[in-house]
DNA sequence: GCATAAGTATAGCTATTGCTATATTCGACT
DNA sequence: AGTCGAATATAGCAATAGCTATACTTATGC
């Protein structure tokens, strides 16, 4: 069941080796989703209140505190955050870099959806998931569109 | 920029109870991603070659065959597919319904990205992930934009 | 200074999604 | 019919991401 030339009836399917690239990219993006959301949220909490506590992270993510504790340990192992026991968590240089990048992309995606005519509430909700699957090229298209709409 | 009263320094953070809604929606979408991709792919394989075999599903998703076998068992338990041992897998009525809906949304997202000026290759890759996080309202905006561009 | 509340750490559980290795079955060809 | 390669089934492992329950530490109020 491969059919390189052209003999099959319906043709909604592309080449398997091309098809698999999309799924691989989506899986990779899914793998990074949580990390990006965490560092972005930590950066926001520090910027807003000077510190990022587990309870606040847990409340905003909608998960239990031990879930946050476990993830912070992993982020620390990955060199993205530095945590002091029974204290808040802080971003390392690479953590800050990833946070800044994630936040900027998030901002652009949300602004783009609004520019397209989506309500602010829906734009906020959908952007939280969409942001992680937007490539540099698509992000550029989003940015251009949103800029064009606000200037016009 | 929320701060109903006004006391904290920076204000990039919204109300926690509003914030958590976005994360919950994204988590729920992530939970359904794989199921949607599977039924959509199975529908395409059946439409293209008359059957959906584990090897072909695995090759297109870029995962190992036992990974597919395990997922098919779960889809069968959920009543989305029907599998005959050592034979291909087929969609139930609800499986077909979910597949049709997922495929349509996928198609609209990819077409939208192309209409926005993104290259077909990037549109294909990004759509594979973005599709799962697009709400009905956003999908409608995508559809309108793409229709407008093709008519103009 | 101490009691108590709040926050954090830790243990242990489950479900999901991937993998490799191997046994079994099916199908096709001689 | 028997053989052999391809496909499937199954077992067992690991990482991720969630949970509850509970112990421990810190901070606050009196
Ligand atoms: Mn984000
Ligand atoms: Mn997000
Ligand atoms: Mn799809
Ligand atoms: Mn997809």
């Amino acid at each position: 069941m491969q059919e390189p030339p052209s003999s099959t009836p319906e043709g909604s399917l592309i080449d398997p080796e091309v098809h698999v690239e999309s799924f691989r990219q989506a899986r990779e993006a899914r793998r990074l989703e949580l990390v990006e959301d965490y560092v972005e949220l930590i950066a926001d909490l520090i910027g807003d209140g000077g510190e990022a506590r587990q309870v606040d992270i847990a409340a905003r993510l909608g998960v239990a505190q031990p879930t946050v504790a476990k993830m912070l340990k992993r982020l620390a192992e990955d060199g993205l955050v530095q945590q002091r026991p029974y204290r808040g968590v802080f971003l390392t240089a690479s953590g800050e870099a990833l946070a800044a990048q994630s936040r900027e992309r998030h901002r652009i995606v949300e602004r783009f959806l609004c520019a397209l005519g989506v309500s602010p509430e829906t734009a906020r909700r959908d952007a939280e998931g969409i942001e992680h699957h937007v490539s540099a090229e698509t992000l550029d298209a989003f940015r251009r569109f949103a800029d064009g709409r606000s200037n016009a």
Side-chain angles (χ1 to χ4, degrees), chain A:
Chain A
M1 334 306 180
Q2 204 66 348
E3 324 290 332
S6 67
S7 54
T8 43
E10 309 267 344
S12 133
L13 279 172
I14 59 176
D15 177 60
E17 282 158 34
V18 174
H19 204 171
V20 79
E21 288 172 21
S22 306
F23 285 117
R24 285 195 201 283
Q25 174 177 307
R27 263 200 310 280
E28 177 66 10
R30 214 172 48 206
R31 203 177 60 83
L32 301 176
E33 265 185 51
L34 259 188
V35 172
E36 292 168 351
D37 283 339
Y38 265 83
V39 295
E40 184 186 346
L41 177 54
I42 290 167
D44 286 346
L45 283 169
I46 291 176
D48 195 78
E51 62 177 2
R53 307 298 302 237
Q54 291 188 12
V55 269
D56 298 317
I57 297 172
R60 290 192 176 264
L61 291 180
V63 299
Q65 168 264 324
T67 299
V68 173
K70 195 186 292 185
M71 179 60 61
L72 291 182
K73 198 173 291 178
R74 220 190 81 198
L75 295 180
E77 285 168 2
D78 294 353
L80 292 170
V81 307
Q82 188 182 354
Q83 51 181 345
R84 290 179 310 176
Y86 291 98
R87 291 277 154 52
V89 65
F90 302 93
L91 293 170
T92 63
S94 49
E96 295 249 34
L98 181 59
Q101 185 183 330
S102 299
R103 175 156 49 180
E104 173 69 359
R105 192 190 50 188
H106 192 146
R107 214 195 88 255
I108 292 170
V109 170
E110 187 166 342
R111 198 161 65 92
F112 165 77
L113 290 177
C114 286
L116 195 68
V118 173
S119 72
E121 295 77 26
T122 298
R124 178 175 42 71
R125 286 162 141 104
D126 288 10
E128 192 59 73
I130 290 175
E131 55 167 346
H132 309 283
H133 297 275
V134 170
S135 66
E137 182 189 339
T138 298
L139 190 66
D140 226 63
F142 282 11
R143 198 190 284 111
R144 274 197 306 271
F145 180 87
D147 284 348
R149 289 289 141 143
S150 65
N151 290 347

